[in-house]
Amino acid sequence: MIECSECHSKISANNNNSKAVARAYDRHRSDVSSKARVLNLLLVGGDCIFVGLQPILVYISKHNGNFDYSPISVNFLTETAKVFFAIFMLLIQARHKKVGEKSLLSFSTFVQAARNNVLLAVPAFLYAINNYLKFTMQLYFNPATVKMLSNLKVLVIAVLLKVIMKRRFSIIQWEALALLLIGISLNQLQSLPAGSTAMGLSVATGAYLYTLIFVTVPSFASVYNEYALKSQFETSIYLQNLFLYGYGAIFNFLAILVTALFKGPSSLDILHGHSKATMLLICNNAAQGILSSFFFKYADTILKKYSSTVATIFTGIASAVLFGHTLTMNFILGISIVFISMHQFFSPLSKVKDEPQNGSLETVDGQNNQRSKDSSFINMAAGANDDASHRVEHDEKAPLLPI
């Protein structure tokens, strides 16, 4: 047994970190205020727009099936735009700080925050790889198919959360994720052009290889990004974004330098081949990235990826209207199954039911050192929220994940 220094209640020392992480996720999802619901609704709505437009703008920016510009330059300009946005928001936030609060722009605050958020370099590096793959995937698939393929990340993320962070999912939720995979697979029953090659590989082989990387790399990035943001929950999100986007800009700039070594100094012209479509793409990607950071810090990775599936129908319809791509029966059936999966996953009936014997919290009376007579009721309550009897005043501000 260990004793809390603030409330002096005693807690079983068997409650390990992984269980605490799982409880934090479940508590965050169950204790949702009306303000949080509105925020989630706005996040999902904005995500549908920006994520849905992304593959369409990439498709428009192609010329004769290829890109006249360097995709790395687009990613670099996107990260640079997000850095300026973070600085702008920090300036606004600094002007409205309360009396007695330390300035977010002070050197000591910046250095301390940089040390505490150094983990953000990991997702920044993974996102730099993923952002390049978004362009490569467009060489093999149409926009609607790329959007559907990206939804495979939901299943990979769920497995990562289960294995790494001990996140708990009910049987109904696993069935919902299986339905999601089936729905996405239905849309992929389309043949690629026969005999085509790319980078020395057959199109089919190259497409499957890039799909594997396209699904796994951003999944690791999303899970790690959420961990990094929430582990330093007290740090301003705009300050965290400044570090995340700054690392991203550095990695993409290094990629530009490496490209220049192989293709010559001319590739250092980051504005070469850009058009109005690419400028819109940069703005859209920047907005999408900024919105994602709010998802990861204040909402949930699963919600973020599921919300992206809603954008699929927008992408498919816009792709059909603008480019004449056919909305096949496979696509319509796939979309239907995806929406059924979403409803099933977030249904109240799918909520995880904890077993009372797992990680139950025992509160010891300081005077007579005996258990309560209603121990069965306490165990049931503890199963729903292991921290119910161990509240401190700043609990609502505590990070959802361990530091």
Side-chain angles (χ1 to χ4, degrees), residues 213-234:
I213 302 175
F214 182 66
V215 169
T216 55
V217 169
S219 298
F220 276 103
S222 297
V223 173
Y224 207 93
N225 192 17
E226 181 174 354
Y227 172 79
L229 289 174
K230 286 180 177 174
S231 66
Q232 297 294 325
F233 199 79
E234 295 298 327

Side-chain angles (χ1 to χ4, degrees), residues 30-105:
S30 59
D31 299 335
V32 180
S33 64
S34 58
K35 184 184 294 186
R37 290 191 182 97
V38 173
L39 175 62
N40 289 344
L41 183 62
L42 293 175
L43 289 175
V44 170
D47 195 57
C48 290
I49 296 174
F50 298 129
V51 174
L53 282 175
Q54 199 272 341
I56 294 175
L57 291 174
V58 172
Y59 187 87
I60 293 175
S61 67
K62 287 195 299 185
H63 180 68
N64 295 328
N66 294 301
F67 301 114
D68 293 334
Y69 57 91
S70 170
I72 300 177
S73 67
V74 171
N75 297 333
F76 173 73
L77 292 174
T78 298
E79 297 300 325
T80 303
K82 291 191 289 186
V83 166
F84 281 112
F85 176 81
I87 295 174
F88 176 74
M89 294 305 299
L90 278 174
L91 292 174
I92 295 178
Q93 197 173 43
R95 292 184 59 183
H96 293 83
K97 74 180 184 69
K98 297 179 181 179
V99 179
E101 286 185 346
K102 197 171 184 179
S103 175
L104 294 172
L105 302 179

Side-chain angles (χ1 to χ4, degrees), residues 153-194:
K153 301 171 190 175
V154 178
L155 184 59
V156 179
I157 287 174
V159 174
L160 290 175
L161 290 174
K162 175 68 176 178
V163 174
I164 298 176
M165 296 185 176
K166 308 304 179 184
R167 173 87 179 268
R168 293 169 295 180
F169 298 102
S170 66
I171 295 177
I172 295 178
Q173 288 176 321
W174 283 115
E175 291 174 348
L177 293 174
L179 279 178
L180 177 64
L181 182 59
I182 294 173
I184 295 171
S185 300
L186 271 177
N187 187 58
Q188 300 313 306
L189 299 178
Q190 303 175 24
S191 58
L192 293 168

